[in-house]
Amino acid sequence: MTTQTRNEVLLEGTALEAPVLSHENHGTRFYRFPLEVPRLSGTPDTLPVLLPEPLLDTVQTEAPLRVQGQLRSFNNRSGVGNRLVLTVYAQAIQPGTGEPCNRILLSGALCKPPIFRRTPLGRSICDLMLAVSRRYGRADYLPVIAWGQLAVRAARLQVGDPLSLEGRVQSRTYRKVLEDGSIQDRVAYEVSAMHLLEPESAD
């Protein structure tokens, strides 16, 4: 039995800027733009979206967009910023419906021991790293955060255990103290787990 892998993202929000060229790979140009997705708390998530050139004409900066794709990771070897870079890879973009959406479904395997802790106010929190296989032997390594009773359940997991979840992709600003003592504002992206799902298995 092998763990079924799943990586599905559905976002609806507004492009803050027109897409700019990111890189070229195997003859295809890829572009990126920031997508602002409203949040119930009032503070929106600003998420990086990467899209292949054929989808370029679908991006309008004033109107709501519905983005369907996957959450992907790659290693940042520049030495600047986060070592693990997350981006939403768009596979389809359509005009939005006017209803904000931020939903991700993931199935993979835990690749690091869970880190369980409590906030100063006593709330349970658990950090997880989920490996989700991709084609050609590659995998995406996605940081997941769970709260409350979900955190307590997730903390019991061990490396290699299958994990399926439903959640949302969020952006979080934090301050990093650099080696020279200066402070730099950075943005981290992670999956906030809403529900743990029963893992699906395939023969």
Side-chain angles (χ1 to χ4, degrees):
M1 301 282 281
T2 57
T3 303
Q4 184 73 29
T5 61
R6 189 179 195 182
N7 186 340
E8 300 171 14
V9 178
L10 184 61
L11 303 173
E12 178 161 330
T14 306
L16 295 179
E17 301 169 10
V20 296
L21 181 64
S22 170
H23 64 281
E24 187 171 330
N25 190 22
H26 298 297
T28 300
R29 291 182 176 180
F30 294 87
Y31 293 77
R32 64 173 59 247
F33 69 91
L35 184 75
E36 184 177 87
V37 182
R39 202 197 284 190
L40 288 176
S41 66
T43 304
D45 291 298
T46 302
L47 305 174
V49 177
L50 186 72
L51 72 158
E53 190 169 31
L55 293 180
L56 200 54
D57 292 341
T58 63
V59 178
Q60 307 291 329
T61 53
E62 299 295 326
L65 297 174
R66 204 163 183 86
V67 178
Q68 189 174 349
Q70 296 181 330
L71 185 61
R72 295 190 175 178
S73 70
F74 64 92
N75 289 317
N76 177 12
R77 296 185 175 88
S78 70
V80 179
N82 300 322
R83 283 181 295 178
L84 188 69
V85 178
L86 298 188
T87 189
V88 175
Y89 178 69
Q91 296 170 314
I93 298 180
Q94 298 171 327
T97 63
E99 289 291 326
C101 180
N102 186 338
R103 183 169 182 251
I104 184 167
L105 294 168
L106 293 175
S107 292
L110 203 64
C111 60
K112 286 185 178 179
I115 300 173
F116 181 82
R117 62 189 191 279
R118 295 189 187 275
T119 67
L121 296 177
R123 195 175 180 198
S124 300
I125 182 172
C126 188
D127 292 307
L128 306 162
M129 186 65 77
L130 189 65
V132 181
S133 296
R134 214 198 295 174
R135 288 189 302 174
Y136 310 118
R138 300 186 61 184
D140 292 298
Y141 297 92
L142 307 175
V144 176
I145 190 166
W147 296 87
Q149 287 303 310
L150 278 187
V152 174
R153 287 175 58 193
R156 302 189 190 111
L157 296 170
Q158 297 181 340
V159 172
D161 283 350
L163 178 63
S164 295
L165 62 91
E166 178 182 348
R168 49 191 292 280
V169 187
Q170 65 183 19
S171 59
R172 174 173 53 85
T173 303
Y174 69 99
R175 294 196 152 185
K176 172 82 171 178
V177 180
L178 304 180
E179 290 181 0
D180 62 4
S182 62
I183 297 176
Q184 186 181 73
D185 286 336
R186 292 186 177 178
V187 180
Y189 304 101
E190 61 202 3
V191 174
S192 178
M194 304 293 189
H195 307 284
L196 297 185
L197 308 175
E198 288 299 320
E200 301 172 7
S201 295
D203 292 331

